[in-house]
Amino acid sequence: MISYRLALVAELAQLKNFLFAHGPNPWNHLPADGVDQEFDLIAKGKASALIALTGNELVGFAIFYHPQILPKKYLQYSGSQSAIYIAEAVVHEHYAGQGIGHKLLSLIIDRAPALGASMLLIDRHEENLASAGMMRKAGFEVLKTFLDLDRRDYGSRKTTVLSFQVKACQ
């Protein structure tokens, strides 16, 4: 059985090792300095990591930025709404296809109102079909696809930005 909870600061080194062990693929852009900055945001309480465990074994996690620090490049998509940015979602390859990524996204969506967010934003490589399916299943809708030569060096080299609108009753 998979359990989910917020990561503890003491677990951040383990999460970073997990990300570099299970996250790299042609679709992902994982520069070491950018990853370090994300984990620093978690340590400072400006972002959070939601983890998936089976027993004591880490099988996946997602990092999400709190609305107060939405990266500037995503402001154009949020308009005047308070938004959470989901920066990472990674699942151990032996657990892929079991709905863990979808559940992590759904749990972040559930947390949005408590963080004062009415929108969630996420992006992926345009051609990453596994991420596309996970995001679609969680209810995310495509906003824009654009050529992204700074982050993408594989395939179409395009990024797709997606959003989820939090319903008032959630």
Side-chain angles (χ1 to χ4, degrees):
M1 184 167 133
I2 307 294
S3 62
Y4 299 86
R5 65 171 173 78
L6 288 174
L8 305 172
V9 172
E11 297 169 316
L12 295 182
Q14 177 189 6
L15 295 180
K16 191 183 295 188
N17 290 336
F18 185 94
L19 178 61
F20 284 122
H22 301 285
N25 65 51
W27 311 116
N28 289 350
H29 180 71
L30 294 172
D33 60 335
V35 170
D36 287 343
Q37 289 173 8
E38 286 180 352
F39 280 87
D40 188 49
L41 291 173
I42 298 168
K44 292 178 178 175
K46 296 179 179 183
S48 297
L50 190 64
I51 62 174
L53 303 157
T54 180
N56 290 326
E57 179 187 3
L58 178 65
V59 296
F61 74 93
I63 295 174
F64 58 99
Y65 292 26
H66 301 173
Q68 301 80 357
I69 62 157
L70 180 68
K72 289 180 184 175
K73 66 183 177 180
Y74 295 98
L75 290 173
Q76 64 183 308
Y77 305 110
S78 67
S80 61
Q81 296 183 68
S82 179
I84 288 171
Y85 171 62
I86 302 174
E88 307 292 345
V90 61
V91 175
H92 189 292
E93 66 182 18
H94 294 134
Y95 293 87
Q98 297 183 29
I100 295 169
H102 166 258
K103 182 68 173 182
L104 287 165
L105 296 181
S106 296
L107 290 170
I108 295 169
I109 289 166
D110 291 346
R111 291 177 176 277
L115 292 169
S118 58
M119 172 187 254
L120 292 92
L121 296 166
I122 192 168
D123 64 26
R124 61 173 171 79
H125 190 293
E126 173 194 40
E127 298 172 310
N128 186 336
L129 298 180
S131 287
M134 172 186 69
M135 293 170 189
R136 185 174 41 257
K137 185 176 176 184
F140 283 82
E141 296 181 0
V142 172
L143 291 176
K144 183 177 183 178
T145 298
F146 60 93
L147 191 61
D148 194 356
L149 300 177
D150 291 334
R151 291 181 60 207
R152 309 294 180 195
D153 58 6
Y154 185 79
S156 69
R157 300 186 73 183
K158 292 181 179 179
T159 290
T160 298
V161 178
L162 302 95
S163 72
F164 183 94
Q165 291 292 323
V166 178
K167 294 177 180 71
C169 61
Q170 279 190 317

